[in-house]
Amino acid sequence: MIVFAGIRPDQIDILITNCSIFCPTPSLASMLINKFKFRRDIQSYNLGGMGCSIGVVAIGLVRDMLQVCLACSLVSQNPRVLLTGHSGDYT
C-alpha cells in the first residue's frame, strides 16, 4: 500500500492500526513498524476490540491529529483477523 502511493516508510509520521475484534500482542502497529522499518520516532496508535465503530474512531483520531500538526499519516484498517475461516462449502 505504501509502495503504490509512492511513500517511503521513513516519510510516515503517524501510524494508526485498527482491528474491530482482535487485540494481538505484540500490537499490529509494532509489527508493521518492525517489518517495514518505520522511523524510531513514529507516533503509533493501536486500536482494537471496539467492534464496527473502530474505523470511524481511527479516522476521527487521525483527523484530530492532523489539525494539530501537518504530518504524513497512515491508517491500516483490518476489519477481521481470525484464526478460522470458511471453505465456501455450504452442503
Side-chain angles (χ1 to χ4, degrees):
M1 148 176 59
I2 297 172
V3 174
F4 294 123
I7 299 172
R8 296 185 320 270
D10 64 347
Q11 294 176 300
I12 304 289
D13 300 309
I14 302 167
L15 172 65
I16 300 173
T17 60
N18 65 63
C19 185
S20 60
I21 59 171
F22 186 58
C23 297
T25 303
S27 69
L28 292 172
S30 66
M31 286 188 257
L32 288 173
I33 289 168
N34 289 326
K35 177 159 179 76
F36 295 106
K37 309 294 186 225
F38 286 95
R39 296 190 334 239
R40 292 178 57 88
D41 64 342
I42 191 169
Q43 294 182 42
S44 64
Y45 301 89
N46 189 64
L47 308 174
M50 296 183 206
C52 296
S53 66
I54 194 70
V56 176
V57 173
I59 296 301
L61 177 60
V62 77
R63 182 203 60 211
D64 293 346
M65 294 184 76
L66 291 176
Q67 287 179 349
V68 173
C69 68
L70 187 57
C72 185
S73 61
L74 173 66
V75 176
S76 171
Q77 180 153 335
N78 306 289
R80 289 182 296 274
V81 179
L82 301 173
L83 298 175
T84 62
H86 188 273
S87 65
D89 184 12
Y90 290 100
T91 59

mmCIF file of all heavy atoms in Angstrom, residues 1-15 29 31-44 71-74:
data_model
loop_
_atom_site.group_PDB
_atom_site.id
_atom_site.type_symbol
_atom_site.label_atom_id
_atom_site.label_comp_id
_atom_site.label_asym_id
_atom_site.label_seq_id
_atom_site.Cartn_x
_atom_site.Cartn_y
_atom_site.Cartn_z
ATOM 1 N N MET A 1 0.823 -1.175 0.000
ATOM 2 C CA MET A 1 0.000 0.000 0.000
ATOM 3 C C MET A 1 0.874 1.248 0.000
ATOM 4 O O MET A 1 0.579 2.189 -0.723
ATOM 5 C CB MET A 1 -0.926 -0.099 1.213
ATOM 6 C CG MET A 1 -1.317 1.158 1.868
ATOM 7 S SD MET A 1 -2.487 0.949 3.224
ATOM 8 C CE MET A 1 -1.653 -0.116 4.329
ATOM 9 N N ILE A 2 1.931 1.279 0.768
ATOM 10 C CA ILE A 2 2.818 2.437 0.798
ATOM 11 C C ILE A 2 3.539 2.578 -0.534
ATOM 12 O O ILE A 2 3.669 3.684 -1.052
ATOM 13 C CB ILE A 2 3.848 2.298 1.944
ATOM 14 C CG1 ILE A 2 3.134 2.275 3.282
ATOM 15 C CG2 ILE A 2 4.842 3.423 1.920
ATOM 16 C CD1 ILE A 2 4.023 1.950 4.435
ATOM 17 N N VAL A 3 3.983 1.467 -1.101
ATOM 18 C CA VAL A 3 4.709 1.492 -2.372
ATOM 19 C C VAL A 3 3.829 2.048 -3.481
ATOM 20 O O VAL A 3 4.266 2.876 -4.280
ATOM 21 C CB VAL A 3 5.204 0.073 -2.726
ATOM 22 C CG1 VAL A 3 5.833 0.058 -4.105
ATOM 23 C CG2 VAL A 3 6.184 -0.420 -1.688
ATOM 24 N N PHE A 4 2.565 1.643 -3.526
ATOM 25 C CA PHE A 4 1.650 2.123 -4.562
ATOM 26 C C PHE A 4 1.410 3.623 -4.448
ATOM 27 O O PHE A 4 1.168 4.299 -5.437
ATOM 28 C CB PHE A 4 0.325 1.375 -4.515
ATOM 29 C CG PHE A 4 0.454 -0.073 -4.866
ATOM 30 C CD1 PHE A 4 0.034 -1.051 -3.990
ATOM 31 C CD2 PHE A 4 1.021 -0.467 -6.066
ATOM 32 C CE1 PHE A 4 0.160 -2.390 -4.305
ATOM 33 C CE2 PHE A 4 1.152 -1.809 -6.391
ATOM 34 C CZ PHE A 4 0.719 -2.768 -5.510
ATOM 35 N N ALA A 5 1.465 4.165 -3.234
ATOM 36 C CA ALA A 5 1.248 5.597 -3.027
ATOM 37 C C ALA A 5 2.518 6.399 -3.277
ATOM 38 O O ALA A 5 2.474 7.617 -3.298
ATOM 39 C CB ALA A 5 0.749 5.845 -1.607
ATOM 40 N N GLY A 6 3.647 5.722 -3.454
ATOM 41 C CA GLY A 6 4.912 6.412 -3.691
ATOM 42 C C GLY A 6 5.492 7.035 -2.433
ATOM 43 O O GLY A 6 6.233 8.010 -2.493
ATOM 44 N N ILE A 7 5.158 6.472 -1.281
ATOM 45 C CA ILE A 7 5.637 6.994 0.005
ATOM 46 C C ILE A 7 6.583 5.986 0.631
ATOM 47 O O ILE A 7 6.321 4.795 0.652
ATOM 48 C CB ILE A 7 4.444 7.253 0.954
ATOM 49 C CG1 ILE A 7 3.507 8.285 0.347
ATOM 50 C CG2 ILE A 7 4.923 7.714 2.315
ATOM 51 C CD1 ILE A 7 2.220 8.451 1.110
ATOM 52 N N ARG A 8 7.696 6.476 1.143
ATOM 53 C CA ARG A 8 8.645 5.615 1.850
ATOM 54 C C ARG A 8 8.266 5.548 3.329
ATOM 55 O O ARG A 8 7.711 6.499 3.875
ATOM 56 C CB ARG A 8 10.057 6.174 1.704
ATOM 57 C CG ARG A 8 10.584 6.199 0.290
ATOM 58 C CD ARG A 8 12.044 6.649 0.238
ATOM 59 N NE ARG A 8 12.360 7.729 1.158
ATOM 60 C CZ ARG A 8 12.275 9.035 0.869
ATOM 61 N NH1 ARG A 8 11.848 9.436 -0.313
ATOM 62 N NH2 ARG A 8 12.609 9.954 1.766
ATOM 63 N N PRO A 9 8.547 4.435 3.992
ATOM 64 C CA PRO A 9 8.210 4.314 5.416
ATOM 65 C C PRO A 9 8.815 5.414 6.287
ATOM 66 O O PRO A 9 8.208 5.811 7.281
ATOM 67 C CB PRO A 9 8.768 2.943 5.799
ATOM 68 C CG PRO A 9 8.749 2.166 4.533
ATOM 69 C CD PRO A 9 9.068 3.180 3.451
ATOM 70 N N ASP A 10 9.972 5.938 5.918
ATOM 71 C CA ASP A 10 10.584 6.990 6.737
ATOM 72 C C ASP A 10 9.889 8.344 6.586
ATOM 73 O O ASP A 10 10.196 9.288 7.304
ATOM 74 C CB ASP A 10 12.074 7.112 6.446
ATOM 75 C CG ASP A 10 12.380 7.539 5.024
ATOM 76 O OD1 ASP A 10 11.472 7.520 4.171
ATOM 77 O OD2 ASP A 10 13.541 7.901 4.766
ATOM 78 N N GLN A 11 8.924 8.449 5.666
ATOM 79 C CA GLN A 11 8.158 9.675 5.493
ATOM 80 C C GLN A 11 6.883 9.700 6.336
ATOM 81 O O GLN A 11 6.242 10.729 6.456
ATOM 82 C CB GLN A 11 7.767 9.857 4.020
ATOM 83 C CG GLN A 11 8.941 10.093 3.095
ATOM 84 C CD GLN A 11 8.501 10.159 1.646
ATOM 85 O OE1 GLN A 11 7.933 9.196 1.137
ATOM 86 N NE2 GLN A 11 8.758 11.280 1.011
ATOM 87 N N ILE A 12 6.528 8.579 6.930
ATOM 88 C CA ILE A 12 5.306 8.475 7.724
ATOM 89 C C ILE A 12 5.580 8.993 9.136
ATOM 90 O O ILE A 12 6.515 8.551 9.795
ATOM 91 C CB ILE A 12 4.807 7.019 7.794
ATOM 92 C CG1 ILE A 12 4.589 6.428 6.394
ATOM 93 C CG2 ILE A 12 3.549 6.909 8.646
ATOM 94 C CD1 ILE A 12 3.422 6.996 5.657
ATOM 95 N N ASP A 13 4.753 9.927 9.593
ATOM 96 C CA ASP A 13 4.887 10.489 10.938
ATOM 97 C C ASP A 13 3.949 9.822 11.943
ATOM 98 O O ASP A 13 4.255 9.730 13.119
ATOM 99 C CB ASP A 13 4.585 11.990 10.911
ATOM 100 C CG ASP A 13 5.521 12.748 9.995
ATOM 101 O OD1 ASP A 13 6.743 12.577 10.123
ATOM 102 O OD2 ASP A 13 5.023 13.489 9.125
ATOM 103 N N ILE A 14 2.770 9.403 11.469
ATOM 104 C CA ILE A 14 1.737 8.848 12.342
ATOM 105 C C ILE A 14 1.247 7.530 11.746
ATOM 106 O O ILE A 14 0.912 7.478 10.568
ATOM 107 C CB ILE A 14 0.548 9.814 12.473
ATOM 108 C CG1 ILE A 14 0.994 11.170 13.008
ATOM 109 C CG2 ILE A 14 -0.531 9.217 13.368
ATOM 110 C CD1 ILE A 14 -0.057 12.255 12.862
ATOM 111 N N LEU A 15 1.196 6.485 12.558
ATOM 112 C CA LEU A 15 0.671 5.194 12.133
ATOM 113 C C LEU A 15 -0.462 4.797 13.076
ATOM 114 O O LEU A 15 -0.272 4.735 14.293
ATOM 115 C CB LEU A 15 1.762 4.121 12.161
ATOM 116 C CG LEU A 15 1.309 2.686 11.912
ATOM 117 C CD1 LEU A 15 0.765 2.529 10.496
ATOM 118 C CD2 LEU A 15 2.441 1.713 12.167
ATOM 119 N N ALA A 29 0.480 -2.370 15.176
ATOM 120 C CA ALA A 29 1.334 -1.217 14.895
ATOM 121 C C ALA A 29 2.808 -1.580 15.046
ATOM 122 O O ALA A 29 3.627 -1.277 14.174
ATOM 123 C CB ALA A 29 0.971 -0.048 15.804
ATOM 124 N N MET A 31 4.174 -4.540 14.885
ATOM 125 C CA MET A 31 4.568 -5.498 13.843
ATOM 126 C C MET A 31 4.841 -4.787 12.525
ATOM 127 O O MET A 31 5.825 -5.096 11.839
ATOM 128 C CB MET A 31 3.475 -6.552 13.662
ATOM 129 C CG MET A 31 3.406 -7.566 14.783
ATOM 130 S SD MET A 31 2.280 -8.913 14.404
ATOM 131 C CE MET A 31 0.874 -8.465 15.393
ATOM 132 N N LEU A 32 3.991 -3.820 12.154
ATOM 133 C CA LEU A 32 4.213 -3.066 10.919
ATOM 134 C C LEU A 32 5.471 -2.204 11.002
ATOM 135 O O LEU A 32 6.237 -2.115 10.041
ATOM 136 C CB LEU A 32 2.998 -2.179 10.613
ATOM 137 C CG LEU A 32 1.747 -2.899 10.137
ATOM 138 C CD1 LEU A 32 0.580 -1.925 10.051
ATOM 139 C CD2 LEU A 32 1.981 -3.559 8.799
ATOM 140 N N ILE A 33 5.696 -1.565 12.139
ATOM 141 C CA ILE A 33 6.882 -0.722 12.321
ATOM 142 C C ILE A 33 8.145 -1.545 12.138
ATOM 143 O O ILE A 33 9.086 -1.132 11.454
ATOM 144 C CB ILE A 33 6.855 -0.037 13.698
ATOM 145 C CG1 ILE A 33 5.759 1.038 13.708
ATOM 146 C CG2 ILE A 33 8.210 0.563 14.045
ATOM 147 C CD1 ILE A 33 5.447 1.587 15.078
ATOM 148 N N ASN A 34 8.183 -2.718 12.728
ATOM 149 C CA ASN A 34 9.374 -3.567 12.613
ATOM 150 C C ASN A 34 9.533 -4.161 11.215
ATOM 151 O O ASN A 34 10.644 -4.226 10.696
ATOM 152 C CB ASN A 34 9.332 -4.681 13.655
ATOM 153 C CG ASN A 34 9.551 -4.152 15.046
ATOM 154 O OD1 ASN A 34 10.293 -3.204 15.257
ATOM 155 N ND2 ASN A 34 8.872 -4.742 16.005
ATOM 156 N N LYS A 35 8.448 -4.581 10.594
ATOM 157 C CA LYS A 35 8.535 -5.216 9.280
ATOM 158 C C LYS A 35 8.954 -4.233 8.188
ATOM 159 O O LYS A 35 9.768 -4.555 7.337
ATOM 160 C CB LYS A 35 7.213 -5.869 8.905
ATOM 161 C CG LYS A 35 7.231 -6.487 7.512
ATOM 162 C CD LYS A 35 6.185 -7.526 7.349
ATOM 163 C CE LYS A 35 6.188 -8.128 5.973
ATOM 164 N NZ LYS A 35 7.226 -9.064 5.725
ATOM 165 N N PHE A 36 8.371 -3.033 8.213
ATOM 166 C CA PHE A 36 8.612 -2.081 7.137
ATOM 167 C C PHE A 36 9.632 -1.010 7.491
ATOM 168 O O PHE A 36 9.845 -0.073 6.739
ATOM 169 C CB PHE A 36 7.297 -1.445 6.692
ATOM 170 C CG PHE A 36 6.370 -2.445 6.071
ATOM 171 C CD1 PHE A 36 5.258 -2.901 6.751
ATOM 172 C CD2 PHE A 36 6.630 -2.965 4.815
ATOM 173 C CE1 PHE A 36 4.405 -3.842 6.188
ATOM 174 C CE2 PHE A 36 5.791 -3.907 4.235
ATOM 175 C CZ PHE A 36 4.677 -4.349 4.929
ATOM 176 N N LYS A 37 10.268 -1.124 8.663
ATOM 177 C CA LYS A 37 11.357 -0.233 9.078
ATOM 178 C C LYS A 37 10.931 1.235 9.112
ATOM 179 O O LYS A 37 11.584 2.112 8.558
ATOM 180 C CB LYS A 37 12.583 -0.391 8.166
ATOM 181 C CG LYS A 37 13.036 -1.817 7.978
ATOM 182 C CD LYS A 37 13.551 -2.401 9.266
ATOM 183 C CE LYS A 37 14.132 -3.772 8.993
ATOM 184 N NZ LYS A 37 13.742 -4.763 9.945
ATOM 185 N N PHE A 38 9.817 1.496 9.801
ATOM 186 C CA PHE A 38 9.408 2.873 10.014
ATOM 187 C C PHE A 38 10.424 3.566 10.920
ATOM 188 O O PHE A 38 11.223 2.912 11.587
ATOM 189 C CB PHE A 38 8.027 2.924 10.675
ATOM 190 C CG PHE A 38 6.895 2.587 9.740
ATOM 191 C CD1 PHE A 38 6.389 1.305 9.673
ATOM 192 C CD2 PHE A 38 6.337 3.558 8.934
ATOM 193 C CE1 PHE A 38 5.345 0.995 8.830
ATOM 194 C CE2 PHE A 38 5.286 3.259 8.082
ATOM 195 C CZ PHE A 38 4.796 1.972 8.024
ATOM 196 N N ARG A 39 10.342 4.879 10.990
ATOM 197 C CA ARG A 39 11.256 5.645 11.848
ATOM 198 C C ARG A 39 11.068 5.268 13.313
ATOM 199 O O ARG A 39 9.990 4.862 13.729
ATOM 200 C CB ARG A 39 10.980 7.149 11.691
ATOM 201 C CG ARG A 39 11.252 7.674 10.347
ATOM 202 C CD ARG A 39 11.201 9.197 10.312
ATOM 203 N NE ARG A 39 10.359 9.787 11.327
ATOM 204 C CZ ARG A 39 9.322 10.577 11.070
ATOM 205 N NH1 ARG A 39 9.000 10.853 9.828
ATOM 206 N NH2 ARG A 39 8.613 11.104 12.038
ATOM 207 N N ARG A 40 12.103 5.468 14.095
ATOM 208 C CA ARG A 40 12.041 5.143 15.518
ATOM 209 C C ARG A 40 11.147 6.114 16.286
ATOM 210 O O ARG A 40 10.629 5.783 17.341
ATOM 211 C CB ARG A 40 13.436 5.127 16.129
ATOM 212 C CG ARG A 40 14.294 3.979 15.606
ATOM 213 C CD ARG A 40 15.690 4.008 16.179
ATOM 214 N NE ARG A 40 15.724 3.980 17.628
ATOM 215 C CZ ARG A 40 15.736 2.876 18.373
ATOM 216 N NH1 ARG A 40 15.731 1.707 17.779
ATOM 217 N NH2 ARG A 40 15.774 2.954 19.674
ATOM 218 N N ASP A 41 10.981 7.342 15.768
ATOM 219 C CA ASP A 41 10.185 8.338 16.481
ATOM 220 C C ASP A 41 8.754 8.464 15.950
ATOM 221 O O ASP A 41 8.077 9.454 16.214
ATOM 222 C CB ASP A 41 10.872 9.697 16.429
ATOM 223 C CG ASP A 41 10.974 10.255 15.020
ATOM 224 O OD1 ASP A 41 10.840 9.480 14.046
ATOM 225 O OD2 ASP A 41 11.201 11.469 14.884
ATOM 226 N N ILE A 42 8.279 7.454 15.224
ATOM 227 C CA ILE A 42 6.927 7.490 14.680
ATOM 228 C C ILE A 42 5.911 7.458 15.819
ATOM 229 O O ILE A 42 6.123 6.805 16.845
ATOM 230 C CB ILE A 42 6.683 6.317 13.696
ATOM 231 C CG1 ILE A 42 5.382 6.522 12.926
ATOM 232 C CG2 ILE A 42 6.708 4.992 14.417
ATOM 233 C CD1 ILE A 42 5.208 5.547 11.770
ATOM 234 N N GLN A 43 4.836 8.213 15.672
ATOM 235 C CA GLN A 43 3.735 8.150 16.635
ATOM 236 C C GLN A 43 2.825 7.009 16.194
ATOM 237 O O GLN A 43 2.274 7.051 15.097
ATOM 238 C CB GLN A 43 2.954 9.451 16.647
ATOM 239 C CG GLN A 43 3.741 10.625 17.148
ATOM 240 C CD GLN A 43 2.871 11.869 17.173
ATOM 241 O OE1 GLN A 43 1.710 11.823 17.577
ATOM 242 N NE2 GLN A 43 3.425 12.968 16.730
ATOM 243 N N SER A 44 2.680 5.995 17.031
ATOM 244 C CA SER A 44 1.854 4.850 16.641
ATOM 245 C C SER A 44 0.732 4.635 17.647
ATOM 246 O O SER A 44 0.914 4.817 18.853
ATOM 247 C CB SER A 44 2.710 3.587 16.530
ATOM 248 O OG SER A 44 3.239 3.241 17.780
ATOM 249 N N ALA A 71 1.189 16.424 9.068
ATOM 250 C CA ALA A 71 2.066 15.256 9.092
ATOM 251 C C ALA A 71 1.597 14.271 8.041
ATOM 252 O O ALA A 71 0.482 14.336 7.546
ATOM 253 C CB ALA A 71 2.037 14.602 10.472
ATOM 254 N N CYS A 72 2.459 13.344 7.705
ATOM 255 C CA CYS A 72 2.101 12.264 6.804
ATOM 256 C C CYS A 72 1.625 11.106 7.677
ATOM 257 O O CYS A 72 2.347 10.653 8.560
ATOM 258 C CB CYS A 72 3.310 11.853 5.964
ATOM 259 S SG CYS A 72 2.919 10.627 4.714
ATOM 260 N N SER A 73 0.405 10.659 7.458
ATOM 261 C CA SER A 73 -0.144 9.618 8.319
ATOM 262 C C SER A 73 -0.615 8.426 7.501
ATOM 263 O O SER A 73 -0.915 8.537 6.322
ATOM 264 C CB SER A 73 -1.299 10.168 9.153
ATOM 265 O OG SER A 73 -2.321 10.620 8.296
ATOM 266 N N LEU A 74 -0.671 7.281 8.164
ATOM 267 C CA LEU A 74 -1.123 6.037 7.553
ATOM 268 C C LEU A 74 -2.088 5.366 8.515
ATOM 269 O O LEU A 74 -1.782 5.199 9.696
ATOM 270 C CB LEU A 74 0.066 5.112 7.284
ATOM 271 C CG LEU A 74 -0.250 3.703 6.800
ATOM 272 C CD1 LEU A 74 -0.889 3.735 5.420
ATOM 273 C CD2 LEU A 74 1.008 2.861 6.781
#
